[in-house]
């Protein structure tokens, strides 16, 4: 699995499955539509469905215990405590719009602009990514399923939080200065969203601790040559320690900490 810029397409990769095998119709239930031009953050929200400004108590769910709850948390309107749209609306105001999710299976390419441009299923297997070409979050159902089986429903949730962080950074004009810094910043904002979900009673402290372990396991080791890979390499990600630390900093600190991480020319997350 890769978590960074997808080769041949300006996309950020990570993973998480909300899966049809778990009784979820991912083809219809994962958000609105949005199209944005690559390299133009002002265009990301153009044509997107706005997020509802208010929520009735009946539309808000409770604690995340299964993948259906994950689906609810990522789609709930602004105003639902702990919902991801609520978090990002608090960060970005009305610039944040309902994200569009694209599910696919390993062996397929996602039905979005990055899938059409790269058109190589091997690049998308066991993966999840934010595609800047048309402002979509795509994920392998098989990959997210595997994560859910290993660590429960919050594992795929945290990966989706990472991808939505790329989207939030782009909309807010807060992109990392190099690829590795951008990826670590997204891990940090995944921690920020996890903190908001915990404060609202949607996930437990133990889930957040598991999140740090998840990002550690997804760290970039590159067969031992991590130190020789430039932080600006297209697919550069944080080391296991950096990724776990960035997530923890986001959970324990604030958004300015994440922006500071994004400004590191080396991708380091130490303060």
């Amino acid at each position: 699995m890769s978590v960074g810029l997808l080769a041949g397409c300006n996309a950020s990769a990570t993973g998480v499955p909300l899966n049809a095998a778990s009784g979820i119709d991912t083809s219809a239930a994962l958000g609105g539509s949005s199209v944005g031009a690559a390299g133009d953050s002002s265009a990301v929200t153009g044509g997107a469905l706005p997020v509802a400004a208010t929520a009735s108590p009946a539309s808000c769910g409770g604690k995340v215990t299964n993948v259906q709850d994950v689906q609810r948390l990522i789609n709930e309107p602004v105003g639902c405590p702990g919902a991801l749209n609520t978090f990002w609306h608090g960060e970005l105001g009305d610039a944040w719009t309902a994200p569009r999710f694209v599910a696919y299976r390993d062996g397929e390419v996602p039905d979005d602009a990055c899938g059409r441009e790269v058109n190589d299923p091997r690049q998308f297997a066991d993966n999840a990514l934010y595609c800047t070409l048309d402002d979509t979050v795509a994920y392998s159902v098989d990959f997210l399923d595997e994560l859910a089986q290993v660590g429960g429903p919050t594992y795929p949730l945290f990966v989706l939080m990472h991808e939505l962080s790329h989207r939030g950074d782009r909309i807010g004009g807060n992109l990392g200065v190099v690829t590795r810094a951008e990826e670590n910043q997204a891990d940090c904002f995944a921690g920020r969203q996890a903190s908001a979900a915990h404060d609202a009673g949607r996930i437990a402290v133990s889930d957040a601790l598991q999140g740090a372990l998840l990002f550690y396991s997804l760290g970039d080791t590159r067969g031992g040559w991590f130190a020789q890979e430039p932080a600006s390499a297209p697919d550069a990600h944080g080391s296991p320690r950096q990724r776990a630390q960035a997530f923890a900093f986001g959970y324990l600190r604030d958004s300015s900490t994440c922006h500071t991480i994004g400004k590191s020319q080396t991708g380091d997350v130490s303060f």
Side-chain angles (χ1 to χ4, degrees), residues 15-143:
V16 184
L18 297 179
N19 150 6
S22 302
I24 295 178
D25 181 6
T26 54
S27 65
L30 287 177
S33 62
S34 178
V35 178
D40 179 6
S41 61
S42 66
V44 171
T45 59
L49 296 176
V51 178
T54 59
S56 65
S59 66
C60 304
K63 188 174 181 180
V64 171
T65 60
N66 53 47
V67 289
Q68 286 88 349
D69 296 332
V70 172
Q71 182 180 350
R72 183 179 299 113
L73 193 66
I74 66 174
N75 283 291
E76 284 176 349
V78 172
C80 284
L84 305 195
N85 282 319
T86 299
F87 172 83
W88 283 110
H89 189 269
E91 293 285 313
L92 301 171
D94 291 339
W96 179 260
T97 55
R100 178 185 168 219
F101 295 88
V102 178
Y104 63 94
R105 307 303 299 246
D106 286 351
E108 302 174 345
V109 298
D111 184 19
D112 63 5
C114 285
R116 289 186 287 274
E117 179 167 306
V118 177
N119 197 29
D120 181 356
R122 293 172 299 178
Q123 295 287 331
F124 298 95
D126 294 328
N127 213 340
L129 61 128
Y130 171 61
C131 181
T132 64
L133 299 182
D134 60 358
D135 188 34
T136 55
V137 173
Y139 61 86
S140 160
V141 167
D142 300 292
F143 175 58

